[in-house]
Amino acid sequence: MSRRTQILSVDPEKPAGQAVARAAALLRGGGLVAFPTETVYGLGAKALDPAAVAGIFAAKGRPATNPLIVHTASPEQALALARHFPPTAEQLATRFWPGPLTLVLPRRSVVPSVVTAGGDTVALRVPAHPVALALLRAVDQPLAAPSANRSQRLSPTTAEHVRQDLDGLIDLILDAGPTSGGLESTVLDLTVLPPRILRPGLVSPAEIEAVIGPVLRPDPSPLPGDKPLRSPGLLGRHYAPRAVLECVSGDSSARVRELAAAGARVGWLTWEVSSPLPENVLAVTMPRQARDYAARLYAMLHHLDAAGVERIVVSLPPETEEWLAVRDRLQRASAS
Ligand code: TXA
Ligand code: MG
């Protein structure tokens, strides 16, 4: 399966125009289009067309067992895809949509089972990015859209990240610059009581609880603490075949120096660099606010990836809830 992948720029301030019209035409024809959302770039296809959705799984190399999020232009269109929903769904939709919250609800049969990986529930979200919304309005139907990366790889926060992973596999990339959120949406299962957060994201548990009361956190498998964990799967193979990401609590500079002394090219995500570093260390100073850190995390990992480091050491963020989503992603990146 080889296609020519077009890249078209879109002004996020004035999204309606030829690029979005072209994207909508391709999607209506069953094609695959990557587009920006406020979290990460998504890879869209007509959600109600099983053949189009199958194209997403093929392009990403995604296992058929992993269901997709369906995006719509309005809360009404989203909730219309649920067989039924509790009042909490409407309350959350009113508060957070458009925005980075995904609700899991019972699936209407109009949603093909390929979207839901054969399951009886569907994940729904109204994205807040003006280009995503313009595209959804132009196509005038729901779009299934996972993050626009090959399966197992880092999510893309720029059109260039998408191109590196999916060039030749999809029809078009809409380029509206870097995404602002930088981490994926929060996924909340509303088919259980109390509701359960399946994936922490840009909307915090506290923000959700302020609207609907107590929700369950994802299973708290703790981060690896001092013990380095290996992650050959994190980075693109042809860039960094041996890349390993470690999370280190406490003084991560000691670990960085140890790896560097052993001859490795080391990337370091840290809060501050106090003394001069060996030449083979590439340090990135990260923001101290969780939201700002989240916005930069994938971009910086992509950056280290492109720079060809073999090892990445990350200073572990605090164990507070505002860091939940960042810690979750670091945990996934460092788990083998
Ligand atoms: O921010 C985001 O959510 C981005 C943008 C593009 O919208 N999308 C995204 O999609 O991250 P993806 O496919 O990379 O992640 C979707 C997550 C997966 O963990 C998937 O298992 C889960 O949502 N999911 C999808 N449908 C589900 C369902 N019916 N029940 C439970 N989990 C579901
Ligand atoms: Mg993904």
Side-chain angles (χ1 to χ4, degrees):
M1 184 186 63
S2 177
R3 331 179 174 201
R4 199 179 80 80
T5 303
Q6 222 186 338
I7 303 180
L8 293 175
S9 293
V10 194
D11 180 353
E13 315 255 296
K14 281 186 289 168
Q18 287 200 346
V20 165
R22 169 86 184 129
L26 284 165
L27 287 165
R28 270 191 237 103
L32 300 177
V33 173
F35 61 94
T37 80
E38 78 281 27
T39 61
V40 300
Y41 274 73
L43 177 60
K46 279 192 291 185
L48 307 187
D49 175 345
V53 173
I56 292 178
F57 284 90
K60 281 184 61 95
R62 182 173 176 118
T65 48
N66 195 359
L68 305 179
I69 297 172
V70 177
H71 300 63
T72 67
S74 75
E76 294 70 31
Q77 287 169 326
L79 294 178
L81 298 173
R83 207 160 59 239
H84 51 82
F85 51 84
T88 47
E90 269 182 315
Q91 291 158 6
L92 291 167
T94 302
R95 167 70 178 81
F96 294 109
W97 283 350
L101 178 66
T102 295
L103 300 179
V104 173
L105 290 165
R107 155 178 90 101
R108 271 249 162 95
S109 57
V110 64
V111 181
S113 69
V114 59
V115 170
T116 66
D120 196 34
T121 62
V122 60
L124 302 165
R125 131 170 157 86
V126 180
H129 197 290
V131 172
L133 286 171
L135 181 62
L136 284 161
R137 286 190 197 111
V139 198
D140 199 24
Q141 55 184 305
L143 294 177
S147 51
N149 51 281
R150 294 277 296 168
S151 189
Q152 313 275 309
R153 300 269 193 96
L154 228 40
S155 290
T157 59
T158 67
E160 174 58 19
H161 298 156
V162 179
R163 193 194 62 73
Q164 283 166 14
D165 252 22
L166 297 175
D167 190 24
L169 297 172
I170 66 178
D171 297 297
L172 173 65
I173 303 170
L174 287 179
D175 181 356
T179 62
S180 59
L183 279 193
E184 300 88 346
S185 64
T186 304
V187 179
L188 179 70
D189 186 355
L190 283 180
T191 69
V192 293
L193 268 178
R196 176 190 288 276
I197 294 175
L198 300 175
R199 178 178 71 183
L202 292 178
V203 174
S204 72
E207 288 175 293
I208 293 170
E209 290 183 329
V211 179
I212 63 166
V215 298
L216 298 177
R217 298 341 189 221
D219 294 332
S221 33
L223 268 176
D226 291 10
K227 287 206 195 76
L229 278 194
R230 276 135 208 281
S231 163
L234 177 66
L235 300 172
R237 272 187 206 115
H238 66 283
Y239 288 122
R242 291 173 192 284
V244 171
L245 185 145
E246 304 174 15
C247 298
V248 178
S249 62
D251 184 9
S252 56
S253 83
R255 180 61 179 155
V256 166
R257 286 168 204 283
E258 185 185 358
L259 288 167
R265 301 191 56 190
V266 185
W268 185 24
L269 296 194
T270 183
W271 320 102
E272 59 182 304
V273 180
S274 47
S275 49
L277 291 166
E279 249 175 33
N280 49 338
V281 175
L282 183 51
V284 177
T285 309
M286 295 297 284
R288 291 191 178 272
Q289 300 295 322
R291 201 167 283 267
D292 300 335
Y293 190 110
R296 292 193 67 189
L297 175 60
Y298 287 156
M300 290 304 108
L301 292 177
H302 277 291
H303 167 69
L304 294 177
D305 179 3
V309 304
E310 297 149 300
R311 316 281 302 226
I312 297 175
V313 174
V314 184
S315 299
L316 204 52
E319 266 181 65
T320 56
E321 206 158 61
E322 58 169 342
W323 289 95
L324 193 64
V326 165
R327 291 173 59 87
D328 171 79
R329 300 309 188 275
L330 290 174
Q331 179 178 29
R332 288 167 198 274
S334 62
S336 49

